[in-house]
Amino acid sequence: MKHRFLQWFGLLCLAFLAIGSLHAQKFTLAVNAEANAEGDSFAQAMEAAGFPLSSKEKLATIQKLTLVSGKFLLTDWTTLAEKLPLCTTLKTFEVKPTVEMESFGESPAPKSYFAATSLEEVHIMSPKFDIPTQMFKGATNLKSVTVESAQMIYTAAFEGCTALTTVHLPSATVLCSKVFKGCAQLATLRLPALEDFDPSCSGEAFCEGMTNLTSFYAPRLKALPKNAFNGCEKLTHLDLPACETFDESALEANAHIQHIVAPKLTEVKGKALAQCTALKTFVAPSLRELGSEAFKGCTSLEEIAFPELTDLTKAPFTGCSALKKVTFSFSESISLNEDTFK
């Protein structure tokens, strides 16, 4: 019996810190991974440790919760979401890389698992774990999130996380719409693996309302979608070393962008930069296609160079009242008309 208990103890551990009246006490909970097929492991573990989920008083003492090893199913997530609001002093939730998390699937149902909680820090190191739709939505106390393996960040994953200041998503390759909507305290966004935005981003900014964003780093990003940085009032510089396309209205009416460097950019679609009234520098030496009214109303733009561009017939500079110099390469003929500098 003792041997069996030790086996059961070692397969899945949930470690948490409960604060007593005078001293901190550490508890380690264990659940048999095989039994977890029923999806009640979280409840069983808490019960076994003397912290039944029905006891609001006991749950209110937990400050840190760590999943150490074994399996964690979708039903465990549901139970966790229901009980986290009762953990009124819980500050940290951590998942070790040895934990096997059940996938939420390609079209996860919208659900916030951390809303109305006291959590300030989440660190998920489990392999093959994507962030489902609205997972952290409304977690207004959340300050720091790290999800090591997430490649897909689904719609509105962090929407309304108004206290969020640190995000670490080193593996994220695709973002959906409204991922960071309303994250007003997030100043720096580093996405080293980001390559693309899901089609759901078309017309809906992934970072609308990020009023404090000053730095965006995505060295592998290939295209900017429509309204990409809508509402990012402090973002003044964009360095996009791998970006090849600005979609229609990608940065339209962004009145704060001053400098853009995109050495591999080949296409700027219609009104992609229209009404960027603060834009002073635009460096895109590989640009070959310029859409209708692409720079319309860029009243601060004074000088621009297009070594590869040959067609300027779609009124790209309408209303660019400060424009003084446009440099071209004369290796090929250039098409102009009466609307070019209208």
Side-chain angles (χ1 to χ4, degrees), residues 58-131:
K58 289 291 187 73
L59 295 180
T61 65
I62 303 171
Q63 286 194 336
K64 183 176 181 180
L65 178 64
T66 301
L67 279 64
V68 178
S69 63
K71 294 181 179 181
F72 201 73
L73 304 183
L74 298 185
T75 46
D76 293 314
W77 276 111
T78 299
T79 302
L80 184 67
E82 291 174 353
K83 299 303 178 180
L84 279 180
L86 302 178
C87 302
T88 54
T89 62
L90 183 65
K91 301 299 180 184
T92 304
F93 176 68
E94 184 178 48
V95 181
K96 295 295 186 181
T98 46
V99 175
E100 181 184 343
M101 311 291 282
E102 183 180 2
S103 172
F104 283 87
E106 295 183 1
S107 301
K111 181 178 177 61
S112 178
Y113 291 84
F114 297 96
T117 71
S118 59
L119 271 173
E120 296 181 359
E121 181 180 2
V122 174
H123 191 176
I124 299 176
M125 295 172 279
S126 183
K128 298 181 181 180
F129 180 77
D130 290 337
I131 301 177

Side-chain angles (χ1 to χ4, degrees), residues 30-207:
V31 177
N32 190 320
E34 296 299 326
N36 201 28
E38 299 297 325
D40 55 4
S41 63
F42 181 69
Q44 288 178 348
M46 297 296 284
E47 182 81 30
F51 282 77
L53 297 181
S54 59
S55 174
K56 295 182 180 179
E57 293 78 10
K58 289 291 187 73
L59 295 180
T61 65
I62 303 171
Q63 286 194 336
K64 183 176 181 180
L65 178 64
T66 301
L67 279 64
V68 178
S69 63
K71 294 181 179 181
F72 201 73
L73 304 183
L74 298 185
T75 46
D76 293 314
W77 276 111
T78 299
T79 302
L80 184 67
E82 291 174 353
K83 299 303 178 180
L84 279 180
L86 302 178
C87 302
T88 54
T89 62
L90 183 65
K91 301 299 180 184
T92 304
F93 176 68
E94 184 178 48
V95 181
K96 295 295 186 181
T98 46
V99 175
E100 181 184 343
M101 311 291 282
E102 183 180 2
S103 172
F104 283 87
E106 295 183 1
S107 301
K111 181 178 177 61
S112 178
Y113 291 84
F114 297 96
T117 71
S118 59
L119 271 173
E120 296 181 359
E121 181 180 2
V122 174
H123 191 176
I124 299 176
M125 295 172 279
S126 183
K128 298 181 181 180
F129 180 77
D130 290 337
I131 301 177
T133 301
Q134 299 183 6
M135 184 172 202
F136 296 95
K137 183 177 180 179
T140 54
N141 292 308
L142 193 62
K143 296 179 180 179
S144 175
V145 174
T146 296
V147 184
E148 301 281 356
S149 65
Q151 294 183 339
M152 186 80 172
I153 316 299
Y154 285 92
T155 301
F158 299 98
E159 182 177 351
C161 294
T162 53
L164 191 63
T165 58
T166 303
V167 173
H168 185 53
L169 302 169
S171 303
T173 58
V174 180
L175 295 188
C176 294
S177 65
K178 299 187 288 186
V179 168
F180 298 104
K181 183 178 181 179
C183 296
Q185 297 302 314
L186 193 59
T188 300
L189 191 55
R190 296 179 62 85
L191 300 166
L194 181 64
E195 295 181 357
D196 203 358
F197 291 92
D198 187 81
S200 67
C201 279
S202 180
E204 294 190 86
F206 74 96
C207 58

Side-chain angles (χ1 to χ4, degrees), residues 19-36:
I19 303 300
S21 57
L22 295 176
H23 303 288
Q25 297 181 346
K26 290 184 178 180
F27 296 88
T28 300
L29 310 181
V31 177
N32 190 320
E34 296 299 326
N36 201 28

Side-chain angles (χ1 to χ4, degrees), residues 24 54 116 233 250 297 303:
S54 59
E233 299 173 357
E303 183 175 337

Side-chain angles (χ1 to χ4, degrees), residues 287-288 306-313 327-337:
L287 190 66
R288 295 188 180 92
F306 297 120
E308 301 292 331
L309 195 64
T310 59
D311 187 351
L312 289 168
T313 62
T327 304
F328 308 100
S329 170
F330 286 97
S331 59
E332 297 184 43
S333 61
I334 298 172
S335 300
L336 306 174
N337 62 15

